[in-house]
Each structure stands twice: as structure tokens, then as C-alpha cells.
Amino acid sequence: MTSSARHTEGMRMMNGLRETGLEITEDGKPGRPLVVLDLDELHGQSPETVTATAAAIERALPLTIGLLRTPLPPHLSPISAALTLTLTDVPGSELAYQVVTVPDIDGAIRTLDAAVARSPQAALACGQLLRQTVRLRTTAALAAEAATYSMLLGGSEFATWLAERGPARTTDQPAHDLVRSSRTDDHLTIVLDHPQRRNALSTRLREELLAAVQVAEADPSIESIEISGTGPAFCSGGDLDEFGRATDPVAAYLVRLDRAPWNVLDRIADRLVVRTHGACIGAGAEMAAFAGTVLAAPDTYFLFPEVRMGLVPGAGGTVSVPRRIGRWRAAWSMLTGEPLSAEAALRWGLVDRLTVNGD
């Protein structure tokens, strides 16, 4: 490709971004929530074109996905940084936070396209939210997440998921505490103890966890805190049988701000170790990511199912997870709902160390 042809290609892609809105239909559905850019076509672009293209991507409302089948040239880094994420099949790209390495780019695009097509409103909200939360302090970022989550509770995509789920079950609550705390010298142990529900984050368990971590925050003589879970899983996410109970989005927003432990977890992070095993889904992965140290048993897997439900992660995950793995890889995991193994989580930085036999 000649220099003139490369310039023309770069301008075409930039102008396409400028002209691409969401194409919202009368019922509020975005007709074009996803734009795919081939970064290999931008090799050799002038610094001015690269800067202008990156700026256009930053302003774009659709999710913007880059495709890269060759190593990323350093001068294209501003474009890669501006994108929602970049997919590549180039080995050795694991250290680039902006890049998700996949075995098959075409298959990965199909996966992403199908996920976004199912819940385009939630997917767009998630993509925009991740761009905001990485730039905000914790409280402001959590407020942005709570507002987005609460808004989506009243949306048609969440209503569709509720209808597909069917009637919620009524389950008996155990008489014992769902969160146990014990102190030995200057160490506080907090255990999620509802194994029958795989430690799902019900309202009651959330309140008990909040109380436990507030004690840890208030007592500076507690020098280390460990959170773990009993049974087959650390935490299987929010209690699905409680989903759909909130009828007032504003009240839901205020509850998420005032009665969630995420802010406290962030403030005690330098003293906090979270020990994960088995399913670490949704809220389980999100709260674990706040810890200064995250340990994972080999059977641990992480998964973010909220976008498929017509929501966004609502347990602080759009704040905690990008801080560990970058907003680009967070976007891939949250938009697609693809599981992340303990080994992959270690490579990405979501986990600090794998444990063997409970060490």
C-alpha cells in the first residue's frame, strides 16, 4: 500500500467513526452497537492521522473493536488505547493490557457479536461505563456503576431475562450467620458460610459481610484480613432468586451506594487477602478483585454474566476488575461472559497466586 493509499484508508476509517451513530430504533434499540476496525490496515499512518483516529474512537458511541493479525506497531498504541478492546492471534501479546489474545480472531468476533446482539443496550452501557470508572476515584466510580445498574433494572433486556428465568424460588434461610468472623491476635478471618447456595450474595449475606468488614476498617490493630468461602464455591454471584424484586430504581441506586461493602473493601485493600475456589461468578469475582492479594485454587474460574442478563456488573466490578486487568480485558470478559480459568486469571493479573492444598 502506498503512502497516499494508507492515508486514504486511515481517513476512511476515521470518517466512518465520525459518521457512525447508534442508529437507535423507535423502541430504543441500537441498530449498530458494534464497530470493527482492522488495525493492520493502519500500518504506516502519519502521527497526525493516528492522533485524529484515536480521538474519533474516544468520541464514538458504539463499542469499537480492533483486529490485529500482526504485532502492534508502537505508533498505533494511541488507537489501541482508545478502542474498547483489541483482538489478536499473535503469540506473545499477553503482556499488553489493551490486547486480548485469542486462538481464532474470526471466532472471537462471532462470540462478541452474538453477545452484544443479545443485550445491545446493556453492552453499550457496560462499554461506556468502563471508560468512566477507570478515570474516577472509587466512590465516584461506584456511584456511576450503581446508577447504570439501577437504570438497567427497569430496561427491557433485564425484563426478558427475568421472563426466561421463570418464577423465583422461595428458599428457607438458615438460622446460623451467613458470614462468620473470628480473630486471632492481629488477624481477622471472615468466612462466607452459605454453602447450600454456593455463598450467593443475598441481601442478608451482603449486610453481614458489610458489618464484618466495617469492624476490620474501624480497628487499626487488625493488621491482616482474610475472606474465604465454605462449600464448593467461593461465591456464585448475586442471589438470582432476589433479582427482580427492586421496583424503584432510585431506591436501588441508593441501597447500592449505602449498603454495599465495596467501598470498605477498597479502603482495607492493603490488609486484605481474598482466597477463592470453585465458582467465582459476578459479585464473587468483583469483590475479590478489590483485595490487595487474591489467591485462587486451581479449580477456580471467574465469570461475569451480567450483560447477558441485561445488566452490568453491579458489585463494584467495573471499578475493581479494570484496576487489575485493564478496561480492555475487563470489557472482553464482561461483554462476552466467557469464563476465565485460574491460570488465565493469573496471567492477566486478576489473581496474584495459585494455591495448592489450601496453602
Side-chain angles (χ1 to χ4, degrees):
M1 183 181 291
T2 66
S3 175
S4 175
R6 283 194 296 267
H7 176 75
T8 300
E9 178 61 22
M11 294 303 296
R12 182 190 65 77
M13 296 175 73
M14 187 174 68
N15 289 333
L17 282 170
R18 285 174 175 163
E19 296 165 2
T20 299
L22 297 178
E23 299 181 6
I24 298 175
T25 62
E26 290 184 0
D27 61 354
K29 295 290 187 181
R32 195 173 184 187
L34 192 68
V35 173
V36 178
L37 304 179
D38 190 336
L39 298 187
D40 293 322
E41 296 180 0
L42 292 179
H43 286 214
Q45 293 298 324
S46 69
E48 295 77 15
T49 299
V50 168
T51 298
T53 302
I57 292 169
E58 286 277 4
R59 295 190 299 268
L61 292 177
L63 301 164
T64 51
I65 311 301
L67 304 184
L68 192 65
R69 292 181 171 86
T70 59
L72 179 68
H75 77 283
L76 290 186
S77 292
I79 293 177
S80 181
L83 290 164
T84 302
L85 63 96
T86 295
L87 294 170
T88 186
D89 56 4
V90 178
S93 301
E94 286 294 331
L95 297 180
Y97 279 106
Q98 302 163 7
V99 172
V100 176
T101 304
V102 295
D104 175 12
I105 289 181
D106 293 332
I109 279 291
R110 287 192 295 270
T111 296
L112 189 57
D113 194 45
V116 172
R118 174 182 169 83
S119 304
Q121 294 172 326
L124 284 166
C126 186
Q128 290 295 334
L129 183 60
L130 287 169
R131 289 182 177 275
Q132 298 174 44
T133 53
V134 294
R135 298 170 178 171
L136 299 173
R137 293 182 181 273
T138 300
T139 299
L142 289 172
E145 178 186 277
T148 304
Y149 185 95
S150 300
M151 171 190 68
L152 290 169
L153 288 175
S156 60
E157 292 173 356
F158 181 57
T160 297
W161 177 83
L162 282 176
E164 292 173 351
R165 181 200 64 175
R169 297 172 296 175
T170 301
T171 57
D172 294 330
Q173 289 286 327
H176 64 79
D177 291 341
L178 301 185
V179 176
R180 294 187 285 107
S181 300
S182 61
R183 179 170 179 172
T184 303
D185 299 325
D186 58 5
H187 179 73
L188 181 68
T189 298
I190 300 172
V191 180
L192 311 183
D193 191 21
H194 196 185
Q196 299 87 347
R197 295 302 301 262
R198 299 199 301 167
N199 299 318
L201 194 75
S202 61
T203 299
R204 181 181 159 194
L205 190 145
R206 185 199 68 212
E207 289 285 342
E208 292 183 18
L209 177 60
L210 175 61
V213 295
Q214 284 175 331
V215 168
E217 181 184 27
D219 189 346
S221 69
I222 298 175
E223 296 184 0
S224 61
I225 307 120
E226 180 180 283
I227 299 178
S228 62
T230 60
F234 168 67
C235 176
S236 60
D239 190 329
L240 297 185
D241 290 332
E242 292 188 358
F243 279 56
R245 292 184 183 179
T247 57
D248 184 342
V250 178
Y253 166 73
L254 295 175
V255 167
R256 302 196 82 78
L257 284 184
D258 186 57
R259 303 307 305 167
W262 326 132
N263 235 329
V264 182
L265 292 175
D266 183 62
R267 292 196 293 265
I268 65 173
D270 60 339
R271 296 183 280 159
L272 178 61
V273 174
V274 171
R275 186 179 293 272
T276 63
H277 70 282
C280 202
I281 298 174
E286 297 168 55
M287 66 177 170
F290 278 108
T293 301
V294 179
L295 307 178
D299 69 338
T300 308
Y301 67 93
F302 300 86
L303 187 147
F304 303 93
E306 291 91 347
V307 168
R308 186 181 184 280
M309 299 161 64
L311 301 171
V312 295
T318 64
V319 182
S320 62
V321 175
R323 289 179 179 177
R324 281 188 159 268
I325 67 174
R327 70 166 175 84
W328 305 272
R329 288 173 172 174
W332 167 260
S333 296
M334 293 173 184
L335 291 172
T336 64
E338 291 284 291
L340 195 66
S341 69
E343 292 80 6
L346 180 65
R347 290 196 302 270
W348 279 11
L350 189 58
V351 164
D352 297 296
R353 181 165 62 88
L354 300 185
T355 60
V356 180
N357 298 324
D359 66 348

